[in-house]
Amino acid sequence: AEKVLGYDLLSLCLEGPQDELDRTRHCQPAVRLMFGLGSVSMQVVESCVAAAGYSVGEFAALVFAGALGFAEALYAVKVRAEAMQKASEAVPSGMLSVIGRREANYKFACLEARKHCESLGIENPVCEISNYLFPDSRVIAGHLQALEFLQENARKYYFTRTKMLPVSGAFHTRLMEPAVEPLAEVLKSIEIQKPLLCVYSNVDGKKYMHSKHIQKLLVKQVVSPVMWEQTMHSVYERKQGTEFPYTYEVGPGKQLGAVLKKCNLKAWKQYNHVDALEDEEAAET
């Protein structure tokens, strides 16, 4: 990974500084690496029903499924992260996690936030849903002034909780358009295979069909909302009475498990968490 990235990622992860690790250009490769540690045996692949990865984690899912090579995927993530960091620095923007009541109309709230930005003299303001997490939970991204407006008027839109995310930009919105071309170019130079198992896309929550499809949607994902709630419905859709598969979340944290619990309680009962760092610590002791 150090050879591909051109800097000591391990040292940055273990020693910091934290503000450098939080930068998009470093954070994305670090997350990608955490979710892609180790090699996967063919027995695991053959017994696996499907794979999916959240945002940059989609690259790890595709490596797991044999569609992308480890080094090539990491290099693509490096280019993606650096381009998204640059796009983030061009416009003061961010992401707002929102939990709303049943009556909440997220798209109407975004429309009013954009109108507020226009009243401040901001041309072509951005404020839109960037992540569909689970029923009554969304991430809204765009200009900082729009997100501040939504926080100040949370009760009006039936938002029960709002929280700014510790990221540097409005990912998965059109503010990331400058990152599209660099990622598209690097993906053209990488050999992409048809996945050995079903991998679901963030863009539409459906299975990838072939290598060109992967190339196209990985680029589109940068400026499109992450349809994670829809993906969960696609992955676990089955006839009544059919057993749910075991689900493994690989990497640090159990956030996707918490989302699965909200989306499908029966599927969540077969959920397990695998943390590579915990395994290493156990082996050492």
Side-chain angles (χ1 to χ4, degrees), residues 56-111:
V56 71
E58 195 160 60
F59 285 84
L62 288 163
V63 171
F64 171 80
L68 293 174
F70 176 84
E72 290 86 350
L74 189 59
Y75 180 69
V77 168
K78 174 183 185 286
V79 171
R80 178 187 190 269
E82 289 173 353
M84 289 173 76
Q85 176 75 45
K86 192 174 179 181
S88 299
E89 291 168 356
V91 178
S93 58
M95 303 180 81
L96 182 71
S97 176
V98 176
I99 293 179
R101 285 162 45 185
R102 290 282 173 88
E103 312 90 299
N105 186 330
Y106 303 95
K107 290 186 178 178
F108 176 69
C110 289
L111 174 64

Side-chain angles (χ1 to χ4, degrees), residues 42 47 82 91 99 110 114 178 191 193 219 229-230 255 282:
M42 280 306 297
S47 62
E82 289 173 353
V91 178
I99 293 179
C110 289
R114 289 196 297 272
E191 188 177 357
Q193 306 286 346
V219 173
E229 180 183 344
Q230 294 84 341
Q255 295 93 331

Side-chain angles (χ1 to χ4, degrees), residues 12-58:
L12 190 60
C13 288
L14 296 177
E15 299 168 18
Q18 184 67 47
D19 59 340
E20 275 300 305
L21 188 57
D22 285 343
R23 286 170 66 83
T24 303
R25 60 177 302 200
H26 297 140
C27 182
Q28 287 192 18
V31 170
R32 158 70 188 88
L33 204 60
M34 285 300 301
F35 279 77
L37 284 172
S39 60
V40 182
S41 71
M42 280 306 297
Q43 186 181 355
V44 172
V45 173
E46 285 170 5
S47 62
C48 184
V49 177
Y54 186 90
S55 190
V56 71
E58 195 160 60

Side-chain angles (χ1 to χ4, degrees), residues 4-275:
V4 172
L5 297 171
Y7 58 86
D8 188 349
L9 184 61
L10 178 61
S11 175
L12 190 60
C13 288
L14 296 177
E15 299 168 18
Q18 184 67 47
D19 59 340
E20 275 300 305
L21 188 57
D22 285 343
R23 286 170 66 83
T24 303
R25 60 177 302 200
H26 297 140
C27 182
Q28 287 192 18
V31 170
R32 158 70 188 88
L33 204 60
M34 285 300 301
F35 279 77
L37 284 172
S39 60
V40 182
S41 71
M42 280 306 297
Q43 186 181 355
V44 172
V45 173
E46 285 170 5
S47 62
C48 184
V49 177
Y54 186 90
S55 190
V56 71
E58 195 160 60
F59 285 84
L62 288 163
V63 171
F64 171 80
L68 293 174
F70 176 84
E72 290 86 350
L74 189 59
Y75 180 69
V77 168
K78 174 183 185 286
V79 171
R80 178 187 190 269
E82 289 173 353
M84 289 173 76
Q85 176 75 45
K86 192 174 179 181
S88 299
E89 291 168 356
V91 178
S93 58
M95 303 180 81
L96 182 71
S97 176
V98 176
I99 293 179
R101 285 162 45 185
R102 290 282 173 88
E103 312 90 299
N105 186 330
Y106 303 95
K107 290 186 178 178
F108 176 69
C110 289
L111 174 64
E112 295 219 317
R114 289 196 297 272
K115 286 181 178 177
H116 168 72
C117 286
E118 286 171 353
S119 74
L120 299 176
I122 298 172
E123 292 183 15
N124 300 316
V126 173
C127 184
E128 56 200 56
I129 298 170
S130 62
N131 304 69
Y132 291 82
L133 297 176
F134 55 85
D136 306 321
S137 179
R138 305 283 185 269
V139 175
I140 295 173
H143 282 81
L144 283 180
Q145 296 90 332
L147 304 183
E148 288 163 0
F149 172 83
L150 291 178
Q151 283 189 295
E152 290 166 7
N153 295 277
R155 290 182 66 183
K156 176 184 176 182
Y157 302 115
Y158 303 102
F159 296 165
T160 57
R161 196 183 81 188
T162 61
K163 182 183 178 182
M164 288 296 295
L165 297 180
V167 296
S168 59
F171 305 148
H172 305 292
T173 71
R174 60 183 173 86
L175 286 177
M176 291 295 110
E177 279 178 2
V180 165
E181 192 58 34
L183 180 59
E185 284 301 310
V186 76
L187 288 175
K188 284 177 189 174
S189 68
I190 290 174
E191 188 177 357
I192 303 174
Q193 306 286 346
K194 184 177 179 180
L196 299 172
L197 55 104
C198 295
V199 180
Y200 287 79
S201 166
N202 286 184
V203 172
D204 56 12
K206 297 177 182 177
K207 299 172 189 175
Y208 279 117
M209 304 306 292
H210 47 75
S211 58
K212 286 288 183 186
H213 195 210
I214 293 169
Q215 182 182 319
K216 179 183 175 182
L217 293 191
L218 279 180
V219 173
K220 192 175 180 182
Q221 191 228 60
V222 173
V223 290
S224 301
V226 174
M227 311 291 269
W228 194 254
E229 180 183 344
Q230 294 84 341
T231 300
M232 293 297 93
H233 294 319
S234 296
V235 170
Y236 296 104
E237 185 180 17
R238 57 216 342 101
K239 291 179 182 177
Q240 197 165 358
T242 307
E243 284 191 17
F244 286 99
Y246 287 100
T247 296
Y248 297 93
E249 179 175 1
V250 183
K254 302 178 182 179
Q255 295 93 331
L256 298 182
V259 170
L260 175 59
K261 188 176 182 181
K262 296 280 189 181
C263 289
N264 192 321
L265 184 60
K266 287 183 178 178
W268 174 79
K269 288 177 180 176
Q270 302 279 56
Y271 163 87
N272 293 278
H273 175 247
V274 180
D275 191 325

